[in-house]
Amino acid sequence: MKGRHISALLVTAAILTASLTACGGDTGQGQHITLSVMGRKSDMEKSYMTTIFEHYESATGNRLNLIAIEDADFEKEAADRFASGDVPDIFLHFHNADLSRFQIGENFCYLNDEAWAQELTDSARAYCEDREGNLLGLPFWESSVSGCYYNKTILDSLGMKPATTQEEFDVLCQVLSEIGYTPVCWPADGCTWMYQFGLDPVFADDPELLERLNQNEVSYAEIPEVEAMAGWIGNAADRGWFGPDYLRTGWSDISTELGSGSAVMTFIWDTWFYTDFEQGQKYGIDDFALMPVFMNTAEGGTYEGGNLNMMMVNRNGERLEAAKDFLAFCASPENYNVAFDGISTVSCFRGQTTNIQSKMVTDAQASIAAKERVSTAATRIVGYSADDVAAAFDSLLRGKTDAAGCVKMMDDARMEEARQYGADGF
């Protein structure tokens, strides 16, 4: 730890002179500026965020007025502030449906021509672009790859291989079930993320369809892939592919099921193995590998890229250029590599070297490059609520409705949420 602190101080000293000029911190008369930065309280307190904030202030002499809004109040309070004209110089937000509350075109700069744009990885940049290809913000955040993480040690011992098609995945599940394994740990008790993985390719691959859904011109019920996914999940449960206790399996049970080897696969993200997977069990991180998620919506399977917090710039602010310079500071390798030192994350920047990257992800890089989709369902469908979707599937899995009924429940909840947002067309 001592060595790391010394290294950080050296980096700060090395960039001090350049940053005073490049980041607009010194007016030439010894004066400095204050930039306002608004975001969720928990987001602003992430270690890499506090590190970059401190580095900027130390290196430039400028100050940051951090406006940290309590998480539960963030969307409404931030929208109210914007409506009253209280727009910060820098705004932190994810590229999701809630972002539409903030009049993107009127309030924020497009950042396509910023020099640092070339520093972003393809997946990080894609997450931050609107459907016209405009870059909305700098993705300064931890990232992950969601997919089907499987016990390669067990599969190898059985002479079995990971799946590359939906048909192969179904056969794999059936064979594992027949010989006494739970093919997929499906934490149906309180976990909600799995469903978005199946929906992602439906809408990521067809932006026009997504736009029609968000304008209320088409419903889930009119999209065959959505019911196909519901049907697959229901059939998988009926066939025992989720094991006998999946309705009582929750977040805290995933580690035990995978670590003991009772379950062979689960749909999750790589950072989970470094933050929540209990060590010292029969199987450890090195026993696992990554293949795509298969839920009957993409024949070749799919991976979901990370959800990233973006730094966006107020286009109407008095400190516009200084705000852009702040983003350039954050996007410099000598700065982001200090901020993300030791953080478990997929790289968002091409020059990122100090973060930890999962071997599971690097080993599957070619497959990920071919089949990864930007997180789409949970982030870009107007009215999407993970809890509402999970509630609809709970009814399906408990035999209270069929696949069509599940989809109708998803539609009804989505439309009601959209109406509460005041979304156009609803």
Side-chain angles (χ1 to χ4, degrees):
M1 291 298 294
K2 183 178 179 181
R4 180 178 296 175
H5 290 313
I6 292 173
S7 175
L9 289 171
L10 290 173
V11 169
T12 299
I15 62 176
L16 177 58
T17 302
S19 296
L20 284 170
T21 301
C23 295
D26 196 332
T27 64
Q29 301 175 350
Q31 298 178 352
H32 301 288
I33 61 165
T34 297
L35 291 171
S36 57
V37 184
M38 182 187 294
R40 287 179 181 83
K41 185 174 186 293
S42 65
D43 293 347
M44 304 276 269
E45 292 173 348
K46 294 286 188 182
S47 63
Y48 42 86
M49 299 302 295
T50 58
T51 297
I52 201 66
F53 293 156
E54 291 166 3
H55 267 296
Y56 174 76
E57 291 188 329
S58 176
T60 67
N62 294 338
R63 292 292 174 261
L64 297 174
N65 174 24
L66 302 179
I67 306 167
I69 301 175
E70 291 293 339
D71 291 19
D73 303 325
F74 176 72
E75 298 296 346
K76 184 179 186 305
E77 183 173 334
D80 288 346
R81 285 173 178 253
F82 273 59
S84 69
D86 182 11
V87 182
D89 298 307
I90 307 292
F91 185 55
L92 272 62
H93 204 286
F94 291 84
H95 192 186
N96 58 27
D98 284 327
L99 187 59
S100 62
R101 300 181 181 203
F102 299 98
Q103 295 80 46
I104 299 170
E106 296 176 19
N107 286 318
F108 302 115
C109 292
Y110 293 142
L111 303 168
N112 308 350
D113 297 328
E114 297 302 303
W116 53 259
Q118 304 303 315
E119 184 75 9
L120 303 179
T121 62
D122 291 343
S123 60
R125 175 160 183 157
Y127 178 85
C128 298
E129 290 180 335
D130 64 16
R131 65 192 193 95
E132 284 77 36
N134 294 309
L135 185 60
L136 303 179
L138 172 70
F140 199 89
W141 202 244
E142 60 190 277
S143 188
S144 60
V145 175
S146 296
C148 178
Y149 288 83
Y150 68 94
N151 191 318
K152 63 182 179 182
T153 302
I154 290 178
L155 289 194
D156 287 346
S157 71
L158 298 171
M160 303 175 73
K161 296 181 179 181
T164 60
T165 67
Q166 183 69 53
E167 182 180 8
E168 290 179 0
F169 187 76
D170 290 352
V171 170
L172 180 62
C173 288
Q174 186 60 37
V175 172
L176 287 170
S177 180
E178 289 174 354
I179 60 179
Y181 290 98
T182 294
V184 181
C185 175
W186 188 270
D189 184 10
C191 297
T192 62
W193 65 81
M194 303 84 72
Y195 310 104
Q196 71 194 49
F197 300 160
L199 291 171
D200 275 348
V202 178
F203 300 103
D205 295 353
D206 192 344
E208 183 179 343
L209 179 63
L210 175 63
E211 183 68 17
R212 291 178 62 209
L213 183 77
N214 285 341
Q215 293 296 325
N216 204 22
E217 296 173 357
V218 67
S219 66
Y220 285 146
E222 298 171 279
I223 303 170
E225 292 90 343
V226 179
E227 187 169 334
M229 183 185 86
W232 183 87
I233 292 172
N235 288 333
D238 291 343
R239 293 175 182 175
W241 295 354
F242 301 157
D245 297 317
Y246 69 94
L247 288 171
R248 293 184 292 274
T249 298
W251 172 259
S252 61
D253 302 308
I254 306 171
S255 180
T256 301
E257 290 207 12
L258 292 182
S260 67
S262 63
V264 179
M265 302 178 281
T266 197
F267 299 163
I268 208 159
W269 48 92
D270 59 298
T271 54
W272 176 87
F273 282 89
Y274 298 90
T275 58
D276 294 273
F277 186 40
E278 183 181 345
Q279 304 303 307
Q281 301 185 81
K282 182 177 181 180
Y283 297 101
I285 293 175
D286 291 342
D287 293 299
F288 288 86
L290 173 60
M291 65 174 156
V293 164
F294 293 93
M295 273 195 270
N296 209 29
T297 58
E299 176 57 24
T302 187
Y303 302 96
E304 184 186 63
N307 294 304
L308 306 173
N309 216 339
M310 303 184 297
M311 294 180 177
M312 306 175 69
V313 173
N314 176 5
R315 68 181 303 164
N316 304 308
E318 295 179 359
R319 294 168 291 277
L320 171 60
E321 292 305 318
K324 286 185 176 181
D325 287 342
F326 171 73
L327 265 62
F329 180 95
C330 295
S332 298
E334 62 267 29
N335 298 328
Y336 62 66
N337 274 320
V338 171
F340 286 99
D341 187 13
I343 301 296
S344 178
T345 174
V346 173
S347 297
C348 291
F349 301 98
R350 297 186 186 278
Q352 205 161 351
T353 58
T354 57
N355 55 307
I356 300 169
Q357 292 205 75
S358 163
K359 187 175 185 297
M360 296 176 286
V361 170
T362 56
D363 285 350
Q365 200 59 57
S367 177
I368 294 168
K371 300 171 183 177
E372 183 181 43
R373 273 85 173 184
V374 175
S375 179
T376 302
T379 60
R380 300 187 183 181
I381 293 176
V382 171
Y384 187 95
S385 162
D387 289 336
D388 289 343
V389 173
F393 275 95
D394 185 72
S395 291
L396 171 68
L397 295 171
R398 294 182 186 278
K400 297 178 180 179
T401 189
D402 58 10
C406 174
V407 173
K408 183 179 186 304
M409 290 179 67
M410 290 168 59
D411 263 331
D412 290 345
R414 175 183 59 84
M415 293 175 182
E416 179 58 28
E417 289 280 351
R419 281 191 287 270
Q420 290 183 15
Y421 288 158
D424 293 340
F426 292 87

